[in-house]
């Protein structure tokens, strides 16, 4: 099998907070997003075959491949200097724990989605996936089932998502995928 997965990887300590002033949400302490593109080549091994018109087919799924991580800045909205916390004028800045203007009470919300995307950095790595796939169905033309497994992304150096927390280069994931559809 060949696969491409596009994911937003989150730090385990990410917690959404709301601004005292605006009520908008932000993640305090976060300075970068990690978007990962997982390219995979894998094999499916049939453990139990499905009867022609009914039953369950169980497969072991293994896949591996390169990961391309895009570390994009996480922008927050803060009041313009001198405007005070209740100033209607704000600007987007990448969160910096050393900046006194980025105190919890000064943050008005999250910046625009693609703000600072031009300042992104590339992280190279690899991924490995192992899963069990359960395909259910009464007809050959219908596909229904789920897949449960474990996936690990490993990068060549630590990815800084939250500068005040411990950042790692390895991101393990447990997943459940449900699918429904038809085939020709």
């Amino acid at each position: 099998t060949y696969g491409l997965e596009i994911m937003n990887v989150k730090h385990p300590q990410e917690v959404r907070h709301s601004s005292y002033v605006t009520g908008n949400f932000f993640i305090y302490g976060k300075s970068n997003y990690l978007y990962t593109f997982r390219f995979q080549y894998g094999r499916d091994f049939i453990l139990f075959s499905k009867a022609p018109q009914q039953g369950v087919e169980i497969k072991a799924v293994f896949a591996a491949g390169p990961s391309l991580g895009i570390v994009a800045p996480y922008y927050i909205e803060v009041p313009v200097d001198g405007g005070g916390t209740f100033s209607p004028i704000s600007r987007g800045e990448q969160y910096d724990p050393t900046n006194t203007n980025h105190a919890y009470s000064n943050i008005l919300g999250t910046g625009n989605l693609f703000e600072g995307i031009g300042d992104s950095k590339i992280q190279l790595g690899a991924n490995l996936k192992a899963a069990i796939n359960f395909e259910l169905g009464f007809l050959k033309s219908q596909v229904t089932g789920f897949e449960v497994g474990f996936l690990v992304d490993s990068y060549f150096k630590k990815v800084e998502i939250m500068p005040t927390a411990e950042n790692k280069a390895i991101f393990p994931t447990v997943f459940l995928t449900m699918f429904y559809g038809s085939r020709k």
Side-chain angles (χ1 to χ4, degrees):
T1 59
Y2 297 96
L4 169 64
E5 295 179 354
I6 303 170
M7 303 298 290
N8 176 15
V9 178
K10 296 186 177 193
H11 193 281
Q13 294 182 357
E14 286 186 25
V15 178
R16 282 179 39 161
H17 298 277
S18 62
S19 169
Y20 295 135
V21 178
T22 64
N24 294 335
F25 291 103
F26 63 94
I27 298 169
Y28 185 69
K30 181 173 182 155
S31 96
N32 291 304
Y33 290 105
L34 173 58
Y35 300 112
T36 185
F37 291 80
R38 297 179 187 132
F39 302 93
Q40 297 174 336
Y41 173 74
R43 298 282 181 172
D44 294 356
F45 299 99
I46 298 174
L47 303 176
F48 297 101
S49 292
K50 181 169 61 169
Q53 297 299 323
Q54 61 186 358
V56 177
E57 182 171 271
I58 301 174
K59 295 186 264 188
V61 179
F62 299 98
S67 292
L68 178 69
I70 298 175
V71 182
Y74 178 77
Y75 273 67
I76 54 171
E77 287 291 319
V78 293
V80 173
D81 290 335
T85 304
F86 295 100
S87 171
I89 302 171
S90 66
R91 72 167 172 259
E93 296 178 355
Q94 184 177 12
Y95 175 77
D96 179 4
T98 62
N99 187 334
T100 56
N101 196 34
H102 294 179
Y104 184 89
S105 59
N106 282 352
I107 298 175
L108 303 175
T110 303
N112 296 327
L113 181 61
F114 295 111
E115 195 170 10
I117 198 79
D119 298 328
S120 298
K121 296 179 181 123
I122 303 294
Q123 289 273 27
L124 297 177
N127 67 78
L128 182 64
K129 171 181 162 181
I132 300 289
N133 180 301
F134 297 88
E135 187 178 309
L136 317 164
F138 299 106
L139 303 172
K140 274 281 202 198
S141 61
Q142 295 292 324
V143 180
T144 304
F146 63 94
E147 185 173 282
V148 61
F150 180 78
L151 185 134
V152 64
D153 269 317
S154 179
Y155 293 94
F156 296 120
K157 62 181 183 176
K158 289 184 180 181
V159 180
E160 186 178 273
I161 297 174
M162 297 183 76
T164 58
E166 181 183 359
N167 292 287
K168 300 184 180 202
I170 297 174
F171 297 91
T173 305
V174 176
F175 67 89
L176 170 68
T177 304
M178 294 185 284
F179 52 90
Y180 175 80
S182 62
R183 71 174 113 193
K184 295 181 182 185

